Amino acid sequence: MPYVMLALGILFALVAANAHAPRRGTALLVPSFFLGWLTIELAPHVLVTWAAATALTAAFGGLHGWAGWTGLVLAPAAMAGIAATIAASRRTVVTLRECGAPLDLDPEDAPRYPLAHLIVPQLCLIPRKGVRVDRNIVYREEGSLRLKLDVFRPVDDGELRPGLMQIHGGAWVIGDKREQGLPLLNHMALQGWVGFNVNYRLSPRATWPEHLIDLKYFVAWYKEHAEEYGADPDFLCVTGGSAGGHLTAMVALSANEPEFQPGFEDADTTVQGAVPFYGVYDLCEAGPWPIPMGATRLMEKMVVKKPFAENREVYAKASPVTYIGEDSPPFFVIHGSRDSLVPVAEARRFVERLRDASGSPVVYAEMKGAQHGFDVFPSYRTARVIEAVERYLTGLHRQYRQGTGPAVPGEVERSLQEPSVG
């Protein structure tokens, strides 16, 4: 048993170290990500499990000899490292367009809404009370192609409500509307929004820009059919994570680009705001990447299906940064500081370029200690972000109705503050 204790201590230490410094750019990238993701976002569960395993091993003779005591030293040290990730998750850095430095938020300011409905695990097929879900609505049908969406809306009918488009992630090759964005869409529906969780064609069957063309087609469809679902056809915002974050930015920044609207070039595909989560924004410049994202096997062989070196212009046209301009819509960019799949520097440089060029507010929230896909798990961090997104988008809609310009970023500040405890 002493060597079991030693093995546990070493294992716990390695897992904790990976959570704080995940491997990037190596063969260990994927396992390091999954291990760090689960460790960070399920940190309380990990701590309880580790403490129980250590106590049981000690009770059955694990403390005999140097091996057992060495393991006992390593295990609590590793647990302290995991506890530090929990503490980090309770602090969020928000940078507003008007200032160049992060703002420290006061944790004494309580949230506006009770958050229990955000941190309770939700089954994909069970809507929240007060939310009506219309599933598998066909929004595009051409030959054998049938693309579907799910609609999340308040049970009570009333005046036309603002619309929100949710784009799932999955590296452009996997994913489905049933798997992502559900806590956000349920919450937004409870706050009076109509959410559209949209499927699109996936690679390798689909070739870029077919993914984007499908989503542009939805925007055009929305403006024709929104009223059938109680939504305002003149107001639509877009959100999504990972590959969905890239597509969110592309939808928002490349509005009315004829190249991405074949057969419906005259349709208006503008949106009123964008909230990308941990997205990819530049496929051409390496920056935080060892090589440009466009030069990876994933992009060259499965998504764009063209060699990067000979087709740099194609990859530039697939990069959201190419379309940044004075008339870019408002953005709220969200990223985790320990993202090992899409480095946080990718979001920082995108936000910097947006702020330099855009005439609209650009809000940036960097989630301390968060991995890629952090919002998949129900947690207080997820709840804070969801509430921040709701406040931001509701602020945009309020200003739209008043005709007074973009939303006040202070609403986001207040919603990202942690609830008081005790």
Side-chain angles (χ1 to χ4, degrees):
M1 291 302 288
Y3 288 97
V4 173
M5 179 68 82
L6 178 61
L8 286 177
I10 294 173
L11 175 63
F12 295 168
L14 291 174
V15 171
N18 178 72
H20 284 273
R23 304 292 296 174
R24 294 191 176 98
T26 70
L28 297 177
L29 173 64
V30 173
S32 174
F33 157 67
F34 279 106
L35 185 60
W37 178 49
L38 295 171
T39 303
I40 292 171
E41 305 310 332
L42 296 177
H45 309 75
V46 170
L47 275 180
V48 171
T49 302
W50 286 6
T54 302
L56 285 173
T57 305
F60 284 92
L63 296 182
H64 296 301
W66 68 268
W69 286 103
T70 302
L72 185 62
V73 171
L74 289 173
M79 293 181 208
I82 299 303
T85 69
I86 299 176
S89 73
R90 299 184 68 82
R91 299 298 298 170
T92 298
V93 174
V94 181
T95 307
L96 304 184
R97 188 177 195 275
E98 291 76 14
C99 62
L103 300 178
D104 290 327
L105 305 178
D106 181 2
E108 297 302 320
D109 190 3
R112 181 173 54 160
Y113 303 119
L115 299 175
H117 71 283
L118 294 179
I119 60 176
V120 176
Q122 301 181 52
L123 296 176
C124 291
L125 300 179
I126 301 179
R128 295 293 307 169
K129 183 178 180 180
V131 178
R132 172 182 173 184
V133 181
D134 302 308
R135 301 194 184 279
N136 297 320
I137 308 298
V138 176
Y139 75 90
R140 186 177 191 186
E141 188 169 11
E142 296 179 12
S144 61
L145 177 64
R146 296 180 81 246
L147 296 174
K148 301 177 181 180
L149 56 83
D150 293 340
V151 181
F152 291 69
R153 51 175 162 162
V155 170
D156 298 332
D157 294 326
E159 62 182 7
L160 295 180
R161 304 173 186 274
L164 177 63
M165 174 188 187
Q166 155 68 27
I167 306 174
H168 70 76
W172 302 275
V173 300
I174 60 173
D176 187 84
K177 59 184 173 60
R178 297 170 296 178
E179 303 165 355
Q180 298 176 35
L182 304 178
L184 175 61
L185 291 173
N186 275 295
H187 181 65
M188 295 299 290
L190 288 173
Q191 303 305 322
W193 284 66
V194 180
F196 297 81
N197 210 348
V198 183
N199 272 350
Y200 53 94
R201 283 175 287 179
L202 299 173
S203 294
R205 176 173 294 182
T207 301
W208 180 266
E210 290 176 340
H211 322 67
L212 179 60
I213 291 171
D214 292 340
L215 298 170
K216 295 274 194 174
Y217 195 96
F218 163 77
V219 177
W221 177 93
Y222 172 87
K223 297 192 176 187
E224 291 186 9
H225 298 275
E227 293 189 28
E228 300 171 20
Y229 301 94
D232 181 353
D234 295 325
F235 191 91
L236 177 68
C237 294
V238 56
T239 186
S242 195
H246 163 264
L247 291 165
T248 289
M250 285 296 297
V251 167
L253 293 170
S254 66
N256 301 328
E257 286 286 336
E259 181 178 357
F260 302 134
Q261 299 179 201
F264 57 106
E265 293 86 352
D266 295 333
D268 178 15
T269 57
T270 57
V271 296
Q272 281 63 53
V275 185
F277 286 68
Y278 38 85
V280 177
Y281 307 109
D282 191 339
L283 301 179
C284 294
E285 299 298 327
W289 312 85
I291 61 173
M293 181 64 180
T296 61
R297 180 177 178 83
L298 170 68
M299 303 305 294
E300 289 189 316
K301 301 298 183 181
M302 298 185 69
V303 181
V304 180
K305 302 177 184 175
K306 293 182 179 180
F308 175 78
E310 293 83 16
N311 297 276
R312 192 179 181 91
E313 183 180 351
V314 174
Y315 286 88
K317 289 183 177 180
S319 300
V321 293
T322 300
Y323 305 94
I324 292 174
E326 172 68 23
D327 59 349
S328 298
F331 264 78
F332 180 15
V333 180
I334 303 170
H335 215 98
S337 67
R338 291 193 184 136
D339 192 322
S340 60
L341 292 187
V342 181
V344 67
E346 175 78 356
R348 292 173 182 167
R349 70 178 181 179
F350 178 62
V351 168
E352 182 178 354
R353 293 181 187 183
L354 270 173
R355 288 176 173 162
D356 287 343
S358 176
S360 300
V362 179
V363 182
Y364 175 49
E366 188 167 300
M367 312 309 293
K368 287 295 186 181
Q371 252 286 7
H372 196 80
F374 66 85
D375 56 322
V376 170
F377 296 105
S379 66
Y380 276 101
R381 171 156 51 205
T382 300
R384 296 262 65 77
V385 173
I386 287 175
E387 190 183 41
V389 170
E390 184 273 320
R391 285 196 178 190
Y392 175 77
L393 294 177
T394 296
L396 287 181
H397 185 245
R398 181 176 60 248
Q399 298 296 333
Y400 156 78
R401 294 186 65 179
Q402 295 173 351
T404 56
V408 179
E411 288 291 301
V412 178
E413 278 188 72
R414 288 190 289 276
S415 61
L416 279 166
Q417 296 170 24
E418 295 297 338
S420 57
V421 178

